[in-house]
Structure formats: C-alpha cells, structure tokens
Coordinates of all heavy atoms in Angstrom, one line a residue:
S1 N 126.1 90.5 96.8 CA 124.8 91.0 97.6 C 124.0 91.8 96.7 O 124.3 92.3 95.6 CB 125.3 91.9 98.8 OG 125.9 93.0 98.4
G2 N 122.8 92.2 97.0 CA 121.9 92.8 96.2 C 120.9 93.6 97.2 O 120.5 93.2 98.4
T3 N 120.3 94.7 96.8 CA 119.4 95.6 97.4 C 118.1 95.9 96.7 O 118.3 96.2 95.5 CB 120.0 96.9 98.0 OG1 121.2 96.5 98.8 CG2 119.0 97.6 98.9
I4 N 116.9 95.6 97.2 CA 115.7 96.0 96.4 C 115.2 97.3 97.1 O 115.0 97.4 98.2 CB 114.7 94.8 96.6 CG1 115.2 93.5 96.0 CG2 113.3 95.2 95.9 CD1 114.3 92.2 96.1
H5 N 114.9 98.3 96.1 CA 114.3 99.4 96.5 C 112.9 99.5 96.0 O 112.7 99.2 94.8 CB 115.1 100.6 96.0 CG 116.6 100.7 96.5 ND1 116.9 101.3 97.7 CD2 117.7 100.2 96.1 CE1 118.2 101.3 97.9 NE2 118.7 100.5 96.9
L6 N 111.9 100.0 96.8 CA 110.7 100.0 96.5 C 110.1 101.5 96.8 O 110.5 102.0 97.7 CB 109.8 99.1 97.2 CG 110.0 97.6 97.1 CD1 109.0 96.7 97.9 CD2 109.7 97.2 95.6
A7 N 109.3 102.0 96.0 CA 108.8 103.4 96.2 C 107.2 103.3 95.6 O 106.9 102.9 94.4 CB 109.6 104.5 95.4
P8 N 106.4 104.0 96.3 CA 105.0 104.1 95.9 C 104.9 105.0 94.6 O 105.8 106.0 94.6 CB 104.1 104.6 97.0 CG 105.2 105.2 97.8 CD 106.5 104.6 97.6
L9 N 103.9 104.8 93.7 CA 103.7 105.7 92.6 C 102.2 105.8 92.1 O 101.6 104.8 92.4 CB 104.6 105.4 91.3 CG 104.5 104.1 90.8 CD1 103.5 104.2 89.6 CD2 105.8 103.6 90.1
S10 N 101.9 106.7 91.5 CA 100.6 106.8 90.9 C 100.7 106.9 89.4 O 101.4 107.9 88.9 CB 99.8 108.0 91.5 OG 98.5 108.0 90.9
D11 N 100.0 106.0 88.6 CA 100.1 106.1 87.1 C 98.6 105.9 86.7 O 98.2 104.7 86.6 CB 101.1 105.1 86.6 CG 101.1 105.2 85.1 OD1 100.4 105.6 84.3 OD2 102.4 104.9 84.6
A12 N 97.9 106.9 86.4 CA 96.4 106.8 86.1 C 96.2 106.1 84.7 O 95.4 105.1 84.7 CB 95.9 108.2 86.0
E13 N 97.2 106.2 83.9 CA 97.1 105.6 82.5 C 97.2 104.0 82.6 O 96.5 103.2 82.1 CB 98.1 106.1 81.5 CG 98.0 105.6 80.1 CD 98.9 106.1 79.1 OE1 99.6 107.2 79.5 OE2 99.1 105.6 78.1
L14 N 98.2 103.6 83.4 CA 98.5 102.2 83.6 C 97.4 101.7 84.5 O 96.9 100.6 84.1 CB 99.8 102.0 84.4 CG 100.1 100.5 84.7 CD1 100.3 99.8 83.6 CD2 101.5 100.6 85.5
W15 N 96.8 102.4 85.4 CA 95.7 101.9 86.2 C 94.5 101.6 85.3 O 93.8 100.5 85.4 CB 95.3 102.7 87.3 CG 94.3 102.3 88.2 CD1 94.5 101.5 89.4 CD2 92.9 102.4 88.2 NE1 93.3 101.3 90.0 CE2 92.3 101.7 89.3 CE3 92.1 103.1 87.3 CZ2 91.0 101.7 89.5 CZ3 90.7 102.9 87.4 CH2 90.1 102.3 88.5
N16 N 94.2 102.6 84.5 CA 93.0 102.4 83.6 C 93.2 101.2 82.6 O 92.3 100.4 82.3 CB 92.7 103.7 82.8 CG 92.2 104.9 83.6 OD1 91.4 104.6 84.6 ND2 92.6 106.1 83.2
E17 N 94.4 101.1 82.1 CA 94.7 99.9 81.3 C 94.5 98.5 82.0 O 93.9 97.8 81.4 CB 96.1 100.1 80.6 CG 96.5 98.9 79.8 CD 97.9 98.9 79.4 OE1 98.6 100.0 79.5 OE2 98.5 97.9 78.8
T18 N 95.0 98.5 83.1 CA 94.8 97.2 83.9 C 93.5 97.0 84.3 O 92.9 95.9 84.3 CB 95.7 97.4 85.2 OG1 97.2 97.7 84.8 CG2 95.7 96.1 86.0
I19 N 92.7 98.0 84.8 CA 91.3 97.8 85.2 C 90.4 97.5 84.1 O 89.4 96.6 84.1 CB 90.7 99.0 86.0 CG1 89.6 98.6 86.9 CG2 90.4 100.1 85.1 CD1 89.9 97.6 88.0
T20 N 90.6 98.0 82.9 CA 89.9 97.6 81.7 C 90.1 96.2 81.3 O 89.2 95.5 81.0 CB 90.3 98.5 80.5 OG1 90.2 100.0 80.9 CG2 89.5 98.2 79.3
K21 N 91.3 95.7 81.4 CA 91.6 94.3 81.2 C 90.8 93.5 82.1 O 90.3 92.4 81.8 CB 93.0 94.0 81.1 CG 93.8 94.6 80.0 CD 95.3 94.3 79.9 CE 96.0 94.9 78.9 NZ 97.5 94.6 78.9
A22 N 90.8 93.8 83.4 CA 90.3 93.1 84.4 C 88.7 93.0 84.3 O 88.1 91.9 84.5 CB 90.6 93.6 85.9
R23 N 88.1 94.0 83.8 CA 86.7 94.1 83.7 C 86.1 93.4 82.6 O 84.9 92.9 82.5 CB 86.3 95.6 83.6 CG 86.2 96.3 85.0 CD 86.1 97.9 84.9 NE 86.0 98.4 86.3 CZ 86.1 99.6 86.5 NH1 86.2 100.6 85.4 NH2 86.2 100.2 87.8
F24 N 87.1 93.0 81.6 CA 86.6 92.2 80.5 C 86.0 90.9 80.8 O 85.1 90.4 80.4 CB 87.9 91.9 79.6 CG 87.6 90.9 78.5 CD1 87.1 91.3 77.4 CD2 88.0 89.5 78.8 CE1 86.8 90.3 76.3 CE2 87.7 88.6 77.8 CZ 87.2 88.9 76.5
W25 N 86.6 90.4 82.1 CA 86.2 89.0 82.7 C 85.0 89.2 83.6 O 84.4 88.2 84.1 CB 87.4 88.3 83.3 CG 88.5 88.1 82.4 CD1 89.7 88.8 82.3 CD2 88.7 87.2 81.4 NE1 90.5 88.3 81.4 CE2 89.9 87.2 80.8 CE3 87.8 86.1 81.0 CZ2 90.3 86.4 79.8 CZ3 88.2 85.2 80.0 CH2 89.5 85.4 79.5

C-alpha cells in the first residue's frame, strides 16, 4: 500500500523562475 501526502507551500523564488520561463513565450 502507499499514501500520498500533499501540503500547500509558498516559494517566491521558484514562482519567479517559473513565471519568467512562461513569459518567454
């Protein structure tokens, strides 16, 4: 058996990196 655990988080650096890549297009 297996269990998946999820939790919300905030990571401003990761968000900026991701949105910068998205805005390239």
Side-chain angles (χ1 to χ4, degrees):
S1 64
T3 305
I4 299 176
H5 297 274
L6 297 174
L9 63 88
S10 177
D11 186 330
E13 184 176 346
L14 178 60
W15 187 90
N16 286 329
E17 178 185 343
T18 303
I19 199 65
T20 298
K21 290 180 179 179
R23 285 174 177 164
F24 171 84
W25 299 104

